[in-house]
Amino acid sequence: MSTTLEHTHEEHTHELAPHIRIGRARAGVLMLILSDTMSILAILAAGGYLNALNTENAFRASGDHAAGFVPGLLLAIALVVSGLGYYLWARTTRKNGGNGLPLFFILSLVFMLVALVGQTWVSLTLNRDYVSPYSAYESVITLISWFTAVHLLLAVIIGVLLLGRITRNRVKVVGLNYVPEVVGYWWFYTIIGSILLWLFSLVI
Amino acid sequence: MTQVSVTTEVKRPGIIHRLFPSVVSGILLGIVGAVVFNVITNAITQDNNQDATVVFSYVGWILFFFVGIGAFNGVWKWGFGRAEATTAEELELAGKDQGLWRYFRYTTDHKVVGMQYLATTLFLFFLGSLGAFMIRLEQSQPGALFFNPSTYNTIVGMHGILMIVASIIMISGPFGNFVLPIMIGARDMAFPRLNALSYWLIFSIIPVFFSTIFLGGFQTGWTGYAPLSVQTLTPGMDAYSITIIVFAVSTTLAALNIITTVMVLRTRGMTWGRLPIFVWGVILSVLLGLTAFPTFLMSQVMVLMDRVFQTSFFIAAYGGNNWLYEHLFWFMGHPEVYVIALPSMAVAAEITSVFSRKTVYGRRMLLGSLITICILSVVVWGHHLYTSGSATALNAAYMLDTELISIPTGFFFLALIGTFWRGKVWVTVPVLFIAGMLVNFVIGGITGIYLADLPTDEILHGGMFVTAHFHFTLVGSMVFGFFAAFYYWFPKMVGKRLNPRLGTLHFWLFMIGFNGTFLSLFFAGLQGEPRWSANVAPPFATANLIASLFAILIAASVFVTIYNVIITLRSGERADANEWGGKTLEWSVPTPVPLENFEHLPVVTSTPYDYGTPEPHPSDAEGALEPAPLLPQEES
Ligand SMILES: [Cu+2]
């Protein structure tokens, strides 16, 4: 019984309709973003809470500092450029039936990579400056710094995979043209989340 | 065993395709990964940082386990493959024509994943109950009997977290995967690969979790409270934290998968209003998990940072605070109770309707109350910190909103009793478990009000009363709901009928044993016995002895269940496709369920509870019932 069913329908009929595939991709990524936002909120809440409690007056020891403002600013600019590049690529892709300008995407990926390298450097420098055991303030800054680095790494990995699709001309595959849009959600989310965490590290 | 597979791999090349990728290659590569990461970490950390070694060895294990089982193949192909996976490749990945071996591979078929979850849940419940029996054994008489206090604490902690993990996955895992897609008229989950990933993530942490026994255990109990978790010198605590982190990732993936499935893959006519109540219960539960678990994940990241990198999130001397842990933990910890409860309550409503041959009484009211519980449960976590001194000013608010939860919970009872009311109830094993659930939930719920109440909680907190209370809600109510679901859907999932006499025996042994054990512990709690104390003090000896004696009945019920499953698998009667005369879609497909569930996607025209006038009779199950309200749908 089951076999006849599988044979007659195997090749064509069980493909999901395009609008279902789009809805599925959007919903999946948005929920991933919701979940990840909760972990960012957990970090913000933890930092703010420890700051407010200032247990034993030891939250921030004298001489404790965040990462330098200028490197942070440069990284933020790199991320904004990356976002802009991605936006332009996705826009041209949408307007030209899947044939976007890959240059924009490469620009976006390169700047994301620059941000990753920079963020890793910032994190490593921080840990060289801080003396263990770290104060709660230094702990929060360390967490923010590495959390951001991991997110940028994830974006770079996704970017490289997407570059693979672009070079194989798989972005305009019929029924899969939502990929630039949906990956974009995560791309922009990474950028906004990282900048938000950086700003938080400045004010805490 | 692993060695054998290596040699066969070399001698018979044909089998390589079967073993790679599979769980065998996953484990082999995972061990290699752990060793490699171990050596590298030892080389980098000069000062013999034991915690770092343990943490990164496990990272290596998990990463390479998933390389070995083939989890990254699809990712790689998405980026660098020449074309999209064909339908034939997808069916191959779904386990087409692979027999039982598909259960040991990265198989995407939702029914395979459901069975994997079911087997894992039962396995974890079994191990967790062994822990429970060790606890009752140690507590049967005053003084140290078998274990030293540290071992005892580890056993309590392992029992706790095992049971919590098992009951978080017990319904959304097995039935949310196997039954839910069929119920909404889908051919599979929205993200089949993520589905396999969410299961195998749980599989990958089972050895990590049990390794804590060999790494000195963890003395914090299941809550892993800081700063003890940070000060604990044994690396068993690292294994605990890794387990939680990976588990949180797994539940997140499972949650987004289930929600997306219901959002986009409902068949024609399956409107939100016609969605079976079980589906509502599961999506509300996983939605709650999706928002609650990330904070738990972050709390364990912070614990590991404190342990490995000498940060101070929870160390007061350097500006950290234990309250931070308590808030992060309970922001997950209270909703988690409802992550467990909501699907179980929904199952109870679903099954009650089928066996009363009546529509769910006050279905909208019930749905509304489940949603209300879902929302309220996010804002009540502070009741776990009443006596901590953290937010004294907010205690009254926490008390009020916690007690508000009893209102929608009351509606749940109303809905179930209303459904049973004047139905000709077909008393089966699932119905027995629901009756038991209702009784136990009253006791669990009402004792909860005393704990939500500030003045009484001042006296009762930290005592056996709390232990007895949450066992009544989690075990007496929700695990009973799980067993109702288990006996209800087992014939569909396995194709065989569990022995109803043994099922009835299971129920009565469990019900009497459970009530005897935990009513005694309520008494011990009222006498003032503290929780988490390895040795029973003489004033509480009698209550604890009685509890331990009744626990023997629970132990007997466990073995009755195991025996029942084994004889059913070996020589059980074949089950009917529609074993109970249910009207939800899973009963409209053949047993065993075909690979893609439906030949033609059904069109739904009504809710699945239209039983007409309540004239049920057991013979209805013989197929005398009119078919479910379905019409074949034209394929688009
Ligand atoms: Cu609670």
Side-chain angles (χ1 to χ4, degrees):
Chain A
M1 185 172 218
S2 62
T3 44
T4 51
L5 172 109
E6 282 148 25
H7 283 299
T8 45
H9 294 270
E10 201 167 351
E11 289 310 327
H12 40 277
T13 47
H14 292 178
E15 292 271 316
L16 293 173
H19 73 276
I20 290 181
R21 288 165 153 255
I22 298 175
R24 175 177 73 164
R26 281 183 187 147
V29 173
L30 287 177
M31 259 178 285
L32 211 55
I33 289 174
L34 166 68
S35 154
D36 202 72
T37 307
M38 291 306 294
S39 54
I40 288 188
L41 287 178
I43 296 177
L44 299 184
Y49 186 55
L50 289 180
N51 188 4
L53 286 174
N54 194 13
T55 312
E56 305 278 335
N57 258 328
F59 173 70
R60 189 169 184 169
S62 59
D64 272 0
H65 61 87
F69 177 73
V70 177
L73 186 66
L74 289 177
L75 288 182
I77 292 170
L79 285 174
V80 170
V81 173
S82 171
L84 203 66
Y86 193 97
Y87 172 75
L88 290 173
W89 173 70
R91 212 170 99 107
T92 49
T93 308
R94 195 175 61 239
K95 288 202 164 163
N96 302 323
N99 294 308
L101 290 174
L103 193 67
F104 283 133
F105 182 76
I106 292 169
L107 177 86
S108 170
L109 182 55
V110 165
F111 271 86
M112 188 57 89
L113 193 64
V114 167
L116 169 64
V117 173
Q119 184 64 36
T120 312
W121 176 79
V122 165
S123 309
L124 289 171
T125 332
L126 274 180
N127 288 28
R128 214 177 317 120
D129 288 0
Y130 293 169
V131 188
S132 88
Y134 306 124
S135 71
Y137 172 81
E138 291 174 335
S139 307
V140 174
I141 300 292
T142 307
L143 176 57
I144 288 177
S145 195
W146 284 109
F147 184 88
T148 308
V150 169
H151 272 71
L152 298 182
L153 174 66
L154 206 59
V156 167
I157 291 172
I158 294 168
V160 169
L161 288 168
L162 193 50
L163 188 65
R165 289 183 75 85
I166 293 171
T167 51
R168 289 207 184 278
N169 223 355
R170 283 171 65 202
V171 172
K172 57 176 178 181
V173 173
V174 179
L176 281 172
N177 47 9
Y178 56 84
V179 168
E181 175 200 328
V182 174
V183 172
Y185 294 169
W186 184 262
W187 202 266
F188 299 132
Y189 165 73
T190 302
I191 291 167
I192 293 168
S194 302
I195 292 177
L196 213 69
L197 280 169
W198 170 62
L199 291 175
F200 180 73
S201 78
L202 293 178
V203 299
I204 189 179
Chain B
M1 184 186 168
T2 44
Q3 293 220 324
V4 174
S5 29
V6 175
T7 48
T8 44
E9 250 183 272
V10 177
K11 277 180 186 168
R12 292 165 57 194
I15 212 163
I16 287 179
H17 181 67
R18 281 169 74 85
L19 290 180
F20 189 93
S22 77
V23 65
V24 177
S25 58
I27 291 173
L28 287 177
L29 219 61
I31 292 171
V32 172
V35 172
V36 170
F37 272 55
N38 186 303
V39 171
I40 293 175
T41 316
N42 273 332
I44 294 175
T45 55
Q46 300 91 348
D47 52 346
N48 193 17
N49 188 332
Q50 210 184 4
D51 294 304
T53 310
V54 168
V55 169
F56 288 104
S57 301
Y58 282 139
V59 171
W61 150 256
I62 289 164
L63 221 52
F64 280 79
F65 172 80
F66 283 101
V67 173
I69 201 169
F72 293 114
N73 295 2
V75 178
W76 180 265
K77 275 186 192 153
W78 186 87
F80 305 118
R82 288 182 185 282
E84 310 309 320
T86 62
T87 310
E89 281 169 0
E90 297 283 0
L91 287 176
E92 156 92 19
L93 200 60
K96 189 175 190 300
D97 303 331
Q98 288 165 23
L100 286 178
W101 188 241
R102 70 191 193 278
Y103 292 103
F104 301 95
R105 303 191 71 175
Y106 196 72
T107 303
T108 55
D109 180 7
H110 71 98
K111 298 180 286 296
V112 171
V113 177
M115 291 302 292
Q116 287 168 331
Y117 264 112
L118 182 63
T120 306
T121 302
L122 292 174
F123 175 68
L124 295 181
F125 272 150
F126 176 69
L127 293 175
S129 66
L130 290 186
F133 302 136
M134 284 193 249
I135 293 169
R136 283 323 317 152
L137 212 56
E138 180 66 33
Q139 305 255 291
S140 58
Q141 279 178 33
L145 300 181
F146 301 99
F147 311 115
N148 64 44
S150 165
T151 311
Y152 177 81
N153 284 352
T154 298
I155 293 172
V156 173
M158 290 188 75
H159 161 75
I161 198 74
L162 257 179
M163 288 307 209
I164 291 286
V165 164
S167 48
I168 287 171
I169 64 173
M170 71 184 173
I171 290 181
S172 305
F175 314 116
N177 271 300
F178 193 110
V179 180
L180 181 140
I182 313 179
M183 254 186 177
I184 62 168
R187 297 197 192 278
D188 202 336
M189 297 285 275
F191 303 107
R193 287 181 181 79
L194 277 190
N195 203 18
L197 181 60
S198 68
Y199 169 72
W200 286 107
L201 279 169
I202 289 186
F203 180 90
S204 76
I205 50 174
I206 291 175
V208 176
F209 177 68
F210 282 101
S211 74
T212 173
I213 302 172
F214 308 106
L215 295 173
F218 59 100
Q219 282 77 47
T220 55
W222 80 276
T223 53
Y225 260 29
L228 181 57
S229 61
V230 175
Q231 292 157 340
T232 304
L233 292 175
T234 56
M237 203 68 226
D238 299 315
Y240 167 91
S241 297
I242 296 265
T243 305
I244 298 301
I245 289 172
V246 177
F247 179 66
V249 175
S250 163
T251 48
T252 301
L253 296 179
L256 77 86
N257 203 352
I258 289 176
I259 299 170
T260 308
T261 303
V262 177
M263 280 171 73
V264 302
L265 292 183
R266 279 169 294 125
T267 191
R268 199 180 296 173
M270 181 59 83
T271 57
W272 288 98
R274 289 179 187 151
L275 217 51
I277 197 84
F278 168 70
V279 177
W280 276 111
V282 171
I283 55 173
L284 289 172
S285 154
V286 295
L287 186 63
L288 201 53
L290 191 74
T291 49
F293 278 99
T295 56
F296 195 19
L297 188 155
M298 287 317 298
S299 75
Q300 297 308 314
V301 169
M302 290 174 197
V303 167
L304 284 183
M305 283 177 71
D306 274 10
R307 290 179 63 84
V308 177
F309 302 117
Q310 282 73 51
T311 55
S312 308
F313 288 101
F314 309 116
I315 300 171
Y318 302 104
N321 201 299
N322 59 315
W323 283 338
L324 172 63
Y325 185 88
E326 293 169 28
H327 281 291
L328 289 175
F329 180 87
W330 287 111
F331 186 75
M332 175 287 306
H334 188 89
E336 164 248 287
V337 174
Y338 293 95
V339 170
I340 295 169
L342 289 169
S344 196
M345 291 158 80
V347 156
E350 193 75 46
I351 295 177
T352 304
S353 160
V354 171
F355 290 105
S356 309
R357 292 290 186 270
K358 278 178 65 193
T359 186
V360 178
Y361 176 77
R363 199 166 60 89
R364 280 162 207 277
M365 170 196 73
L366 176 61
L367 181 57
S369 62
L370 294 183
I371 294 172
T372 313
I373 290 175
C374 191
I375 295 168
L376 279 177
S377 73
V378 193
V379 293
V380 299
W381 80 92
H383 62 221
H384 294 274
L385 283 86
Y386 280 160
T387 56
S388 72
S390 158
T392 318
L394 289 173
N395 277 357
Y398 279 125
M399 178 170 101
L400 183 69
D401 58 18
T402 303
E403 290 181 353
L404 275 180
I405 291 187
S406 46
I407 296 171
T409 310
F411 284 139
F412 164 75
F413 284 95
L414 188 62
L416 255 71
I417 292 168
T419 310
F420 275 127
W421 188 256
R422 290 192 175 172
K424 276 192 184 163
V425 181
W426 178 15
V427 182
T428 57
V429 180
V431 172
L432 287 178
F433 273 99
I434 288 167
M437 175 186 187
L438 286 177
V439 172
N440 296 337
F441 202 13
V442 169
I443 301 172
I446 288 179
T447 51
I449 295 175
Y450 291 92
L451 294 170
D453 196 66
L454 262 169
T456 37
D457 187 63
E458 289 286 342
I459 300 161
L460 295 171
H461 85 99
M464 267 304 170
F465 192 89
V466 179
T467 309
H469 154 73
F470 71 72
H471 278 83
F472 257 95
T473 52
L474 290 180
V475 186
S477 316
M478 304 318 156
V479 173
F480 271 56
F482 160 76
F483 277 116
F486 175 72
Y487 283 94
Y488 179 65
W489 278 310
F490 189 92
K492 186 85 239 168
M493 293 172 75
V494 181
K496 291 188 173 175
R497 206 169 270 168
L498 283 163
N499 184 319
R501 281 170 190 275
L502 288 174
T504 309
L505 183 63
H506 170 204
F507 168 75
W508 284 112
L509 285 172
F510 197 7
M511 183 72 186
I512 296 169
F514 175 81
N515 273 278
T517 303
F518 287 98
L519 289 176
S520 310
L521 291 184
F522 269 129
F523 186 74
L526 289 174
Q527 283 183 305
E529 188 187 6
R531 301 165 68 181
W532 282 340
S533 149
N535 298 335
V536 172
F540 317 119
T542 315
N544 272 279
L545 179 62
I546 295 172
S548 294
L549 289 174
F550 272 104
I552 296 172
L553 296 184
I554 307 180
S557 84
V558 171
F559 287 98
V560 167
T561 317
I562 293 172
Y563 177 69
N564 196 356
V565 170
I566 290 173
I567 61 157
T568 304
L569 289 178
R570 284 182 54 176
S571 54
E573 290 175 49
R574 267 188 71 99
D576 291 329
N578 191 351
E579 180 74 4
W580 314 107
K583 293 200 165 193
T584 38
L585 289 177
E586 80 274 21
W587 301 109
S588 72
V589 296
T591 306
V593 184
L595 183 59
E596 295 200 289
N597 304 344
F598 299 97
E599 192 167 353
H600 300 283
L601 285 179
V603 175
V604 178
T605 55
S606 66
T607 65
Y609 306 112
D610 273 344
Y611 288 100
T613 50
E615 281 295 306
H617 191 268
S619 65
D620 281 358
E622 310 298 327
L625 225 73
E626 324 98 84
L630 302 176
L631 302 165
Q633 176 183 335
E634 277 176 42
E635 300 282 340
S636 49

